[in-house]
Amino acid sequence: MSDEGTESPSGDDSAGRSWRGRALSALQWAVAIGAFWYVARGVDWSATGAELATLDAVVVAGVLAVTAVEFGSRFGMWYALLNGLGPTDFRTSANVDLVIKFVNHVVPSKASGHSVAPLVVRHYTGVDWAEAVSVSGLNTGLYAALYGLVALAGLGLFAPRLGGGWLLVILLSTGVYLVAGVLVLLAGRRMNAAGRLASRLGGLLGRIPRIGDRLAGVAAALPSFTADSAGVFRRLSARPSVVGPYALGWAGTLMVCPGLRVWLLLTGLGGEFSPVLALPVVLVTAYSVTVLPLTPGGVGVAEASATAVLVALGVAPEIAPVVVLLDRTFGVYLPAVLGWLPAATLDFSDLLARGEEGSG
């Protein structure tokens, strides 16, 4: 029998975790604010505002048109995957994408957003738990593998022109994407081999000073598969009609549309980038730091990284941060804000409860 009023050890642990969680969240937002300061410190915002107000109407229309196409390609990624399970309308795919995008910006890293994806997929489509896990895992694996490969190509193009600090961070984030992609794709096809690799990976990441625990958390948040979900995963991942359209949607969302938007903004503000055809690859590489759990959804550090990369590659330092902030606003923050609309109608506690039932 315990004395009344005496707090149990589990209560102490829970309170401690809660306190540490709040402290970590506060630290992450402090890092995000500091990163935004780093980006904005050299910009004459009054002069920039005047320039933006006089942007050619063709440039403004072009940016809006590119952003609209980008939304279509973004939703098309989930549309390709979900139609592999069964006929799915485009609106359902859009809701799934927007809710996950919203979650990605209220939790510490993208891994958390991807880990809640099966719950969201199951809610909107009604598929069983194995199918929800498999399609969400395929999304994570393909996204990470494609991102890692393109970012690695970008490093091959311009790594010698980057400072040591940013080069190290981008190398680390590119490595995380590549390892995560390989691990998830392997897990979907060979669970035993992936389990051994994940265990070793978690141990290695945990030894990295300062951020090791957080990186190990990213690895732990990757999807886990049952025999049933792995079977569905293998079937979907072997279908060109699923993987091909997904890869095209990924390229449109992460490369083509951001590259066009940044080029339009750069030229509209009197800047330039050469060679223009390399811009989509450069942006993927520069934004790769969003995978690291430094700030919620990569807020701030992505802008700082992309600004540093563009300046290192010859973009004027007074233009680069403005272009990056506008690109992130249209390409990342706008979808996240719009994602609040469908997310506000969901009871996440109920989704989590049903997820525990389905995975049990």
Side-chain angles (χ1 to χ4, degrees):
M1 179 185 297
S2 61
D3 294 334
E4 186 177 42
T6 301
E7 192 168 329
S8 67
S10 61
D12 291 339
D13 291 343
S14 177
R17 286 194 296 270
S18 177
W19 182 88
R20 286 193 294 271
R22 288 194 295 269
L24 177 60
S25 179
L27 177 61
Q28 289 176 322
W29 280 111
V31 171
I33 292 170
F36 274 121
W37 173 84
Y38 170 85
V39 171
R41 73 192 193 286
V43 178
D44 183 344
W45 288 103
S46 59
T48 300
E51 285 187 56
L52 290 173
T54 58
L55 271 179
D56 194 296
V58 174
V59 173
V60 175
V63 168
L64 295 177
V66 166
T67 302
V69 172
E70 183 180 63
F71 270 92
S73 65
R74 180 191 307 281
F75 301 154
M77 293 162 64
W78 275 107
Y79 185 71
L81 296 178
L82 295 176
N83 272 278
L85 297 177
T88 306
D89 60 71
F90 204 71
R91 181 175 179 177
T92 297
S93 304
N95 282 331
V96 169
D97 179 82
L98 289 173
V99 170
I100 294 172
K101 192 73 174 175
F102 171 77
V103 172
N104 280 341
H105 286 82
V106 295
V107 291
S109 79
K110 284 190 173 181
S112 299
H114 287 298
S115 65
V116 82
L119 305 176
V120 178
V121 168
R122 200 172 178 214
H123 170 80
Y124 280 110
T125 65
V127 299
D128 64 33
W129 183 250
E131 290 177 320
V133 170
S134 66
V135 77
S136 301
L138 185 57
N139 173 66
T140 299
L142 290 174
Y143 185 101
L146 289 168
Y147 210 118
L149 288 172
V150 175
L152 188 62
L155 283 172
L157 288 173
F158 64 81
R161 298 171 64 180
L162 283 180
W166 282 116
L167 178 60
L168 180 61
V169 172
I170 293 173
L171 273 171
L172 179 60
S173 59
T174 299
V176 170
Y177 266 120
L178 284 171
V179 172
V182 170
L183 190 61
V184 174
L185 294 175
L186 183 61
R189 306 189 69 86
R190 298 182 59 193
M191 290 187 294
N192 292 337
R196 292 193 298 270
L197 180 57
S199 177
R200 293 171 184 170
L201 177 64
L204 289 173
L205 291 175
R207 296 191 184 101
I208 298 176
R210 297 182 183 273
I211 62 172
D213 289 343
R214 299 301 302 160
L215 292 178
V218 171
L222 296 174
S224 58
F225 296 90
T226 64
D228 288 341
S229 60
V232 178
F233 185 102
R234 284 191 292 271
R235 187 174 75 248
L236 291 177
S237 61
R239 291 174 58 181
S241 61
V242 172
V243 177
Y246 180 92
L248 289 175
W250 187 95
T253 305
L254 278 299
M255 296 180 66
V256 177
C257 291
L260 284 171
R261 183 166 51 230
V262 167
W263 176 76
L264 284 168
L265 291 168
L266 272 176
T267 55
L269 292 172
E272 60 181 16
F273 183 90
S274 182
V276 173
L277 290 179
L279 193 52
V281 176
V282 167
L283 290 173
V284 169
T285 308
Y287 287 142
S288 66
V289 296
T290 56
V291 76
L292 299 177
L294 302 174
T295 64
V299 172
V301 293
E303 287 81 2
S305 172
T307 297
V309 168
L310 290 180
V311 170
L313 297 180
V315 177
E318 65 273 13
I319 294 178
V322 178
V323 169
V324 168
L325 287 170
L326 288 171
D327 181 54
R328 288 276 291 175
T329 297
F330 285 110
V332 177
Y333 301 128
L334 180 59
V337 170
L338 293 177
W340 175 82
L341 297 174
T345 67
L346 300 183
D347 183 344
F348 280 96
S349 61
D350 180 60
L351 287 182
L352 291 170
R354 283 190 285 163
E356 291 173 359
E357 292 172 5
S359 60

